[in-house]
Amino acid sequence: MKQFFEGSHAVAETIRLCKPGVISAYPITPQTHIVEDLAKIVADGRLNSQFVNVESEHSAASVVLGGVAAGVRSYTATSSQGLLLMAEVIFNIAGMRLPLVLTCANRSVSAPINIWNDQQDSVSLRDAGWIQLYAENIQEAVDFHIIGYRIAEDKSMMLPVMVCMDGFILTHGIETVDMPTQEQVDKFLPPYKALYKLDVDDPVTLGALVDPESYMETRFAIHKTHEEALSLIPKIAADFSKSFGRTYNGLIEKYRLDDADRVIVAMGSVCGTIKDVIDELRSKGKKVGLLKVTSYRPFPAAAICDALKDVSKVAVLEKALSLGALMPLATEIKSAFFGRKKSPKVISSFVAGLGGRDITKQSVKDVFRLLTAKELDGEFIDLKPELLKENYE
Amino acid sequence: MSDMHFNSGHTACSGCGQSLGARLVLEAAGKNTIIANNTGCLEVFSTKYPQSSWGVPWIHSLFENAAAVASGIESALKYLGKKDSVNVIAQAGDGGTADIGLQALSGMLERGHDILYVCYDNEAYMNTGIQRSGLTPFDSNTTTSPPGSHSMGNIRPKKPMPEIALAHGIPYVATASVAFVKDLQRKVKKAISIKGPKYIQIHVPCPLGWRHQPNLTVPVSRAAIECGLYPIIEYEFGKLIAVQRIRQKPVEEYLKLQGRFKHLMKNPDEIKKIQDIADNNIEKYGLRLESQ
């Protein structure tokens, strides 16, 4: 049934439908509405779950680690500094092959402290072994959590999934959402049956010390699983489409790409703005398009190359950066094309929207305007040069 | 896997007090136990892949989060309706308890989880090479509190962990020693019979770090207790219900057994300071045998 939902409320209701037995979280803006709603849902008896209020995000991640290690589906959510405080546990959860789902309400990182949206938090944890899915709108945020549990708990995966949704823009925005029914979710997402768990009737040792004889294979195995996820994610997404009637590829989405000669590549909610601009420019005869990257990890290099191989000019627009280096998503797209026969003539890289600065339709038009034969590396959009003047005298 | 819950064949040093303590704890807790273990000697020497000493379900995640991981396990068991038949133990060394793991431990105690937390106190970071922790005793020589022309060793007395645990209003707090096996195991059994968070701190000598002969592990721990430096105490629901009373011996009898205090042996002023710590303990907890 279609209803107006605040993004956080919609995600909380979705998690209720996924029936985690252990939920643990520590409050951080803009994640708070999700966990407040879940606390109330549990308090009202609408979900049978242990809601554990902890003293830090490090412990929130550790509690859900323990919950899923004991064989129970678990859930947590965080943002920004919270995700960074969890970082040690984030790596650990993937290394232990524990299938969690975590919502990252994307927010900038300190210093300076700033509570608004960008994607530096989750992008900085791209190498942790988690699958990362980026939602464009609230409907996707809802659907990706359900898909996320299916991916994570698939016996061939056993990897955690981070569903990334832009803070405030999606967590506090209100949209029409087709909220799945319990029957639909139950049919698509069977109860979690752990491949291994802490069970007194069948004792196992988890988290052993692994020396040089075996450590490398554990990392190789995660890497291999990510490769396999590139074919599994579209299959699960197709399965989802059958049950819920909404179609996702799960890795990428092509928007008006077919004859496009200039294309923006982006992740998350900015894709909605870009689509509007594309529609406008298309109505004026401009051949422009969007390639939305949904799955940042695993990185769908082949699918991206295939989608962009006939495009003349590509602009990679990011809400994250790698300070002191080329921009993260642009770097990976360029390296994916390296040595390929067919590739764009220009792959320019743009940074926008850091710390919650609005990426307006004009910002997106500026990206298209700057997407010329001259390749740009890390061009900042909407920068204010007047704020950069320094005087140490 | 043999019938033992904690099996031999691990790689602990000879005379390791912590391996002895862990075996005694698990023997008392029994097979229906799940353990969450912080990083440290115990984790390293008992689980070198592909071997494991543990005959019960056991998990290690990180240095500081066993109390939080155990909280998640306990919550999962509650969700499954199995908590009443399974004990959950979180365990760590002194650094993992009093320093890096203190926040997670405090959270676990405050939230009221039905978990027994065991601190194996060997009074320094032994796994990384004998660096001082918050539970390293006053004047102790460790690799990061070395005595020198400007220092007599560790500058502060032990952090009062049992009192810190007690301040959370939890139903059971006790200290124990590997030198007093029956007392230790009685306390473990009693702790797991009580619902809620429990804290037991066990004195476990480390021959390598304390620099004593491996065959002196038990006598060294006994000497610590007999001089008053390691009070054996037991609190139930906030009340001190039992202490191990002693015929007090001078602290020097304990200090001289160990290389970590060797630099004090010709310094009566420093020994006097340590004697004062022991005397205060004896007063505070009423450790003196009345016949004395």
Side-chain angles (χ1 to χ4, degrees):
Chain A
M1 193 176 70
K2 287 194 177 177
Q3 280 175 272
F4 269 121
F5 271 106
E6 187 206 54
S8 298
H9 183 50
V11 167
E13 288 295 330
T14 305
I15 296 306
R16 176 180 66 80
L17 297 171
C18 295
K19 300 177 180 170
V22 177
I23 299 170
S24 184
Y26 184 83
I28 181 166
T29 304
Q31 152 263 37
T32 40
H33 288 188
I34 300 173
V35 297
E36 287 167 3
D37 281 357
L38 278 166
K40 181 71 173 139
I41 285 168
V42 172
D44 288 344
R46 296 177 62 222
L47 172 66
N48 173 23
S49 186
Q50 297 291 315
F51 190 96
V52 187
N53 279 304
V54 283
E55 81 297 335
S56 72
E57 286 91 354
H58 196 284
S59 283
S62 301
V63 165
V64 293
L65 183 160
V68 73
V72 172
R73 184 176 290 156
S74 302
Y75 172 80
T76 187
T78 191
S79 292
S80 180
Q81 305 309 121
L83 188 69
L84 297 188
L85 185 57
M86 280 184 184
E88 188 192 24
V89 196
I90 291 291
F91 275 80
N92 202 251
I93 289 165
M96 293 178 81
R97 306 301 296 258
L98 295 171
L100 273 170
V101 169
L102 174 152
T103 310
C104 176
N106 285 109
R107 167 183 151 180
S108 67
V109 294
S110 187
I113 187 167
N114 169 295
I115 60 167
W116 293 274
N117 166 246
D118 64 36
Q119 296 169 346
Q120 294 183 77
D121 49 3
S122 54
V123 166
S124 75
L125 286 179
R126 64 183 187 179
D127 299 332
W130 286 56
I131 288 167
Q132 286 194 359
L133 305 177
Y134 287 75
E136 177 190 332
N137 49 44
I138 297 172
Q139 186 70 61
E140 283 195 353
V142 163
D143 295 345
F144 289 177
H145 283 90
I146 304 167
I147 291 171
Y149 273 113
R150 259 286 294 274
I151 298 168
E153 294 171 2
D154 190 283
K155 288 193 174 15
S156 69
M157 293 287 115
M158 296 300 280
L159 277 180
V161 173
M162 189 181 299
V163 179
C164 302
M165 61 189 294
D166 286 321
F168 291 115
I169 299 168
L170 297 185
T171 56
H172 292 54
I174 295 175
E175 286 179 354
T176 311
V177 176
D178 188 357
M179 184 55 68
T181 64
Q182 187 67 66
E183 293 69 32
Q184 279 177 309
V185 174
D186 286 348
K187 209 173 151 205
F188 178 76
L189 182 65
Y192 174 50
K193 284 207 174 63
L195 270 181
Y196 32 80
K197 63 178 175 181
L198 298 165
D199 179 358
V200 290
D201 294 325
D202 184 15
V204 290
T205 290
L206 299 178
L209 172 75
V210 174
D211 71 6
E213 289 296 318
S214 314
Y215 177 87
M216 203 150 85
E217 285 70 19
T218 69
R219 308 310 280 179
F220 177 80
I222 297 174
H223 190 59
K224 269 321 247 195
T225 303
H226 270 267
E227 278 177 34
E228 289 162 18
L230 288 171
S231 47
L232 184 78
I233 292 170
K235 276 184 203 156
I236 290 177
D239 200 13
F240 182 88
S241 303
K242 266 185 253 160
S243 309
F244 297 83
R246 284 181 295 282
T247 305
Y248 300 111
N249 164 276
L251 301 176
I252 57 168
E253 182 194 322
K254 301 174 197 173
Y255 188 77
R256 305 189 83 164
L257 270 195
D258 281 348
D259 60 343
D261 56 15
R262 287 184 302 152
V263 168
I264 294 180
V265 183
M267 302 196 296
S269 63
V270 72
C271 292
T273 314
I274 297 170
K275 284 175 179 174
D276 281 355
V277 172
I278 285 169
D279 290 348
E280 234 176 80
L281 295 176
R282 280 274 178 183
S283 70
K284 293 176 186 163
K286 310 271 188 199
K287 291 183 178 176
V288 291
L290 164 74
L291 178 71
K292 179 170 87 182
V293 176
T294 298
S295 171
Y296 182 47
R297 287 293 179 274
F299 186 68
I304 290 171
C305 288
D306 187 58
L308 297 178
K309 64 181 189 303
D310 299 320
V311 176
S312 156
K313 297 184 187 75
V314 169
V316 184
L317 177 58
E318 304 183 56
K319 283 189 188 179
L321 69 172
S322 177
L323 296 167
L326 299 175
M327 301 309 147
L329 184 59
T331 302
E332 297 194 32
I333 290 174
K334 282 187 178 186
S335 83
F337 272 113
F338 186 78
R340 292 202 186 225
K341 280 188 187 137
K342 294 185 84 177
S343 70
K345 289 191 189 75
V346 170
I347 300 177
S348 279
S349 147
F350 299 88
V351 176
L354 299 186
R357 184 162 302 175
D358 284 339
I359 303 180
T360 62
K361 283 161 86 172
Q362 187 56 48
S363 315
V364 176
K365 284 175 190 165
D366 286 346
V367 170
F368 277 124
R369 183 174 53 77
L370 291 165
L371 183 56
T372 64
K374 189 186 171 217
E375 192 161 281
L376 300 172
D377 272 330
E379 182 76 11
F380 281 65
I381 299 295
D382 300 326
L383 204 61
K384 296 177 182 169
E386 67 274 20
L387 294 185
L388 293 167
K389 285 176 192 153
E390 292 172 346
N391 186 354
Y392 296 111
E393 296 305 312
Chain B
M1 199 66 75
S2 77
D3 290 342
M4 299 279 285
H5 308 314
F6 182 72
N7 295 279
S8 59
H10 53 68
T11 59
C13 307
S14 58
C16 171
Q18 192 179 25
S19 66
L20 174 57
R23 180 167 69 75
L24 295 171
V25 166
L26 192 50
E27 208 173 81
K31 72 179 270 290
N32 287 330
T33 300
I34 298 177
I35 294 179
N37 210 127
N38 268 357
T39 306
C41 280
L42 177 57
E43 162 263 325
V44 168
F45 71 65
S46 67
T47 70
K48 188 169 164 297
Y49 180 83
Q51 295 176 320
S52 171
S53 286
W54 301 95
V56 297
W58 182 96
I59 185 170
H60 156 253
S61 168
L62 295 162
F63 199 171
E64 68 276 51
N65 70 350
V69 171
S71 301
I73 295 166
E74 185 251 16
S75 300
L77 291 171
K78 270 191 200 156
Y79 171 76
L80 295 169
K82 290 183 178 172
K83 180 61 203 80
D84 287 344
S85 59
V86 180
N87 311 309
V88 179
I89 293 179
Q91 58 185 22
D94 45 286
T97 299
D99 296 345
I100 196 166
L102 182 58
Q103 178 178 319
L105 169 59
S106 174
M108 181 204 109
L109 299 178
E110 165 254 316
R111 289 189 300 269
H113 294 282
D114 187 21
I115 297 170
L116 168 60
Y117 189 99
V118 180
C119 169
Y120 299 100
D121 182 11
N122 59 19
E123 305 193 320
Y125 291 93
M126 299 315 186
N127 191 41
T128 41
I130 320 163
Q131 294 83 20
R132 62 83 59 197
S133 81
L135 291 188
T136 297
F138 181 69
D139 272 359
S140 185
N141 177 1
T142 74
T143 55
T144 51
S145 63
S149 60
H150 290 62
S151 175
M152 290 309 295
N154 191 44
I155 59 171
R156 294 285 301 156
K158 288 170 77 75
K159 190 186 282 193
M161 268 313 298
E163 278 84 353
I164 291 170
L166 193 66
H168 289 76
I170 63 173
Y172 191 78
V173 173
T175 58
S177 155
V178 289
F180 297 93
V181 171
K182 277 188 184 167
D183 178 69
L184 188 164
Q185 294 197 316
R186 177 187 66 78
K187 285 171 174 164
V188 170
K189 283 181 177 161
K190 185 168 188 180
I192 60 178
S193 76
I194 299 170
K195 264 205 190 283
K198 288 82 62 172
Y199 178 85
I200 298 181
Q201 182 171 308
I202 304 174
H203 194 239
V204 292
C206 169
L208 196 73
W210 296 9
R211 280 177 282 142
H212 62 71
Q213 290 302 310
N215 61 353
L216 293 183
T217 297
V218 167
V220 163
S221 187
R222 189 185 300 128
I225 289 146
E226 288 175 344
C227 72
L229 279 177
Y230 211 92
I232 299 297
I233 53 180
E234 188 176 20
Y235 288 90
E236 213 175 313
F237 300 106
K239 294 254 175 349
L240 186 63
I241 57 161
V243 299
Q244 184 166 330
R245 292 183 200 279
I246 53 174
R247 291 180 207 285
Q248 191 185 6
K249 293 179 178 168
V251 293
E252 210 169 342
E253 299 290 305
Y254 170 60
L255 303 178
K256 73 180 185 191
L257 297 172
Q258 307 163 67
R260 62 175 173 159
F261 298 115
K262 193 178 169 192
H263 60 290
L264 305 176
M265 287 303 117
K266 287 176 183 158
N267 193 329
D269 289 348
E270 287 304 306
I271 291 177
K272 171 73 172 55
K273 290 179 194 168
I274 297 175
Q275 187 63 55
D276 287 347
I277 293 171
D279 292 349
N280 281 339
N281 285 339
I282 285 163
E283 282 307 311
K284 182 174 177 187
Y285 299 109
L287 302 181
R288 190 169 286 111
L289 264 179
E290 276 161 26
S291 59
Q292 242 180 334

PDB file of all heavy atoms in Angstrom, chain A residues 68-69 93 107-108 132 182 246-247 252 275 288 349 373:
ATOM      1  N   VAL A  68      24.305 -12.045  16.027  1.00  0.00           N
ATOM      2  CA  VAL A  68      24.289 -12.863  14.807  1.00  0.00           C
ATOM      3  C   VAL A  68      25.209 -14.073  14.959  1.00  0.00           C
ATOM      4  O   VAL A  68      24.923 -15.151  14.426  1.00  0.00           O
ATOM      5  CB  VAL A  68      24.590 -12.002  13.549  1.00  0.00           C
ATOM      6  CG1 VAL A  68      26.039 -11.596  13.465  1.00  0.00           C
ATOM      7  CG2 VAL A  68      24.173 -12.724  12.278  1.00  0.00           C
ATOM      8  N   ALA A  69      26.285 -13.933  15.754  1.00  0.00           N
ATOM      9  CA  ALA A  69      27.159 -15.091  16.010  1.00  0.00           C
ATOM     10  C   ALA A  69      26.409 -16.166  16.795  1.00  0.00           C
ATOM     11  O   ALA A  69      26.730 -17.349  16.701  1.00  0.00           O
ATOM     12  CB  ALA A  69      28.413 -14.660  16.761  1.00  0.00           C
ATOM     13  N   ILE A  93      33.511  -7.831  11.617  1.00  0.00           N
ATOM     14  CA  ILE A  93      32.260  -8.529  11.265  1.00  0.00           C
ATOM     15  C   ILE A  93      32.402  -9.195   9.899  1.00  0.00           C
ATOM     16  O   ILE A  93      32.007 -10.352   9.715  1.00  0.00           O
ATOM     17  CB  ILE A  93      31.076  -7.533  11.296  1.00  0.00           C
ATOM     18  CG1 ILE A  93      30.742  -7.143  12.739  1.00  0.00           C
ATOM     19  CG2 ILE A  93      29.848  -8.119  10.598  1.00  0.00           C
ATOM     20  CD1 ILE A  93      29.845  -5.917  12.868  1.00  0.00           C
ATOM     21  N   ARG A 107      26.552  10.878   6.440  1.00  0.00           N
ATOM     22  CA  ARG A 107      26.837  12.207   6.988  1.00  0.00           C
ATOM     23  C   ARG A 107      28.335  12.470   6.860  1.00  0.00           C
ATOM     24  O   ARG A 107      29.131  11.529   6.880  1.00  0.00           O
ATOM     25  CB  ARG A 107      26.393  12.238   8.463  1.00  0.00           C
ATOM     26  CG  ARG A 107      26.889  13.405   9.257  1.00  0.00           C
ATOM     27  CD  ARG A 107      26.465  13.310  10.726  1.00  0.00           C
ATOM     28  NE  ARG A 107      27.448  13.971  11.561  1.00  0.00           N
ATOM     29  CZ  ARG A 107      27.362  14.054  12.887  1.00  0.00           C
ATOM     30  NH1 ARG A 107      26.347  13.522  13.519  1.00  0.00           N
ATOM     31  NH2 ARG A 107      28.305  14.652  13.580  1.00  0.00           N
ATOM     32  N   SER A 108      28.688  13.741   6.792  1.00  0.00           N
ATOM     33  CA  SER A 108      30.097  14.123   6.690  1.00  0.00           C
ATOM     34  C   SER A 108      30.858  13.690   7.943  1.00  0.00           C
ATOM     35  O   SER A 108      30.256  13.275   8.931  1.00  0.00           O
ATOM     36  CB  SER A 108      30.193  15.643   6.569  1.00  0.00           C
ATOM     37  OG  SER A 108      29.754  16.220   7.789  1.00  0.00           O
ATOM     38  N   GLN A 132      28.185  -2.757  -0.032  1.00  0.00           N
ATOM     39  CA  GLN A 132      27.610  -1.418   0.179  1.00  0.00           C
ATOM     40  C   GLN A 132      26.629  -1.096  -0.939  1.00  0.00           C
ATOM     41  O   GLN A 132      27.014  -1.080  -2.106  1.00  0.00           O
ATOM     42  CB  GLN A 132      28.708  -0.348   0.189  1.00  0.00           C
ATOM     43  CG  GLN A 132      29.561  -0.328   1.439  1.00  0.00           C
ATOM     44  CD  GLN A 132      30.397   0.956   1.537  1.00  0.00           C
ATOM     45  OE1 GLN A 132      30.345   1.818   0.665  1.00  0.00           O
ATOM     46  NE2 GLN A 132      31.169   1.074   2.608  1.00  0.00           N
ATOM     47  N   GLN A 182       3.863  -7.954   5.341  1.00  0.00           N
ATOM     48  CA  GLN A 182       4.598  -8.997   6.058  1.00  0.00           C
ATOM     49  C   GLN A 182       4.644 -10.288   5.235  1.00  0.00           C
ATOM     50  O   GLN A 182       5.674 -10.963   5.191  1.00  0.00           O
ATOM     51  CB  GLN A 182       3.946  -9.257   7.425  1.00  0.00           C
ATOM     52  CG  GLN A 182       4.754 -10.203   8.307  1.00  0.00           C
ATOM     53  CD  GLN A 182       6.083  -9.572   8.744  1.00  0.00           C
ATOM     54  OE1 GLN A 182       6.121  -8.604   9.480  1.00  0.00           O
ATOM     55  NE2 GLN A 182       7.183 -10.122   8.264  1.00  0.00           N
ATOM     56  N   ARG A 246       8.825  -4.189  -8.201  1.00  0.00           N
ATOM     57  CA  ARG A 246       9.719  -3.065  -8.504  1.00  0.00           C
ATOM     58  C   ARG A 246      11.027  -3.624  -9.031  1.00  0.00           C
ATOM     59  O   ARG A 246      11.592  -4.548  -8.448  1.00  0.00           O
ATOM     60  CB  ARG A 246       9.969  -2.214  -7.248  1.00  0.00           C
ATOM     61  CG  ARG A 246       8.815  -1.334  -6.888  1.00  0.00           C
ATOM     62  CD  ARG A 246       9.106  -0.491  -5.669  1.00  0.00           C
ATOM     63  NE  ARG A 246       9.273  -1.298  -4.458  1.00  0.00           N
ATOM     64  CZ  ARG A 246       8.258  -1.820  -3.761  1.00  0.00           C
ATOM     65  NH1 ARG A 246       7.014  -1.621  -4.150  1.00  0.00           N
ATOM     66  NH2 ARG A 246       8.495  -2.542  -2.685  1.00  0.00           N
ATOM     67  N   THR A 247      11.513  -3.065 -10.125  1.00  0.00           N
ATOM     68  CA  THR A 247      12.642  -3.658 -10.823  1.00  0.00           C
ATOM     69  C   THR A 247      13.951  -2.966 -10.471  1.00  0.00           C
ATOM     70  O   THR A 247      14.061  -1.746 -10.586  1.00  0.00           O
ATOM     71  CB  THR A 247      12.404  -3.579 -12.347  1.00  0.00           C
ATOM     72  OG1 THR A 247      11.148  -4.194 -12.620  1.00  0.00           O
ATOM     73  CG2 THR A 247      13.505  -4.304 -13.106  1.00  0.00           C
ATOM     74  N   ILE A 252      23.795  -1.521 -10.879  1.00  0.00           N
ATOM     75  CA  ILE A 252      23.766  -0.204 -11.515  1.00  0.00           C
ATOM     76  C   ILE A 252      22.357   0.070 -12.025  1.00  0.00           C
ATOM     77  O   ILE A 252      21.535  -0.843 -12.096  1.00  0.00           O
ATOM     78  CB  ILE A 252      24.748  -0.113 -12.719  1.00  0.00           C
ATOM     79  CG1 ILE A 252      24.408  -1.211 -13.757  1.00  0.00           C
ATOM     80  CG2 ILE A 252      26.185  -0.215 -12.268  1.00  0.00           C
ATOM     81  CD1 ILE A 252      25.125  -1.034 -15.090  1.00  0.00           C
ATOM     82  N   LYS A 275      18.505  13.128 -12.613  1.00  0.00           N
ATOM     83  CA  LYS A 275      17.471  12.654 -13.548  1.00  0.00           C
ATOM     84  C   LYS A 275      16.582  13.807 -14.002  1.00  0.00           C
ATOM     85  O   LYS A 275      16.231  13.919 -15.184  1.00  0.00           O
ATOM     86  CB  LYS A 275      16.620  11.561 -12.893  1.00  0.00           C
ATOM     87  CG  LYS A 275      17.334  10.199 -12.823  1.00  0.00           C
ATOM     88  CD  LYS A 275      16.491   9.179 -12.062  1.00  0.00           C
ATOM     89  CE  LYS A 275      17.176   7.821 -12.001  1.00  0.00           C
ATOM     90  NZ  LYS A 275      16.444   6.868 -11.161  1.00  0.00           N
ATOM     91  N   VAL A 288      22.033  13.499 -23.063  1.00  0.00           N
ATOM     92  CA  VAL A 288      22.670  13.317 -21.753  1.00  0.00           C
ATOM     93  C   VAL A 288      22.011  12.156 -21.005  1.00  0.00           C
ATOM     94  O   VAL A 288      20.848  11.812 -21.266  1.00  0.00           O
ATOM     95  CB  VAL A 288      22.593  14.605 -20.905  1.00  0.00           C
ATOM     96  CG1 VAL A 288      23.474  15.693 -21.488  1.00  0.00           C
ATOM     97  CG2 VAL A 288      21.154  15.091 -20.794  1.00  0.00           C
ATOM     98  N   SER A 349      36.259  14.225 -13.262  1.00  0.00           N
ATOM     99  CA  SER A 349      35.845  13.913 -11.888  1.00  0.00           C
ATOM    100  C   SER A 349      35.442  15.184 -11.143  1.00  0.00           C
ATOM    101  O   SER A 349      36.131  16.209 -11.219  1.00  0.00           O
ATOM    102  CB  SER A 349      37.007  13.190 -11.208  1.00  0.00           C
ATOM    103  OG  SER A 349      37.074  13.494  -9.869  1.00  0.00           O
ATOM    104  N   ALA A 373      36.047  18.518 -23.687  1.00  0.00           N
ATOM    105  CA  ALA A 373      37.173  17.686 -24.136  1.00  0.00           C
ATOM    106  C   ALA A 373      38.324  17.737 -23.138  1.00  0.00           C
ATOM    107  O   ALA A 373      39.203  16.875 -23.140  1.00  0.00           O
ATOM    108  CB  ALA A 373      37.636  18.144 -25.513  1.00  0.00           C
TER     109      ALA A 373
END
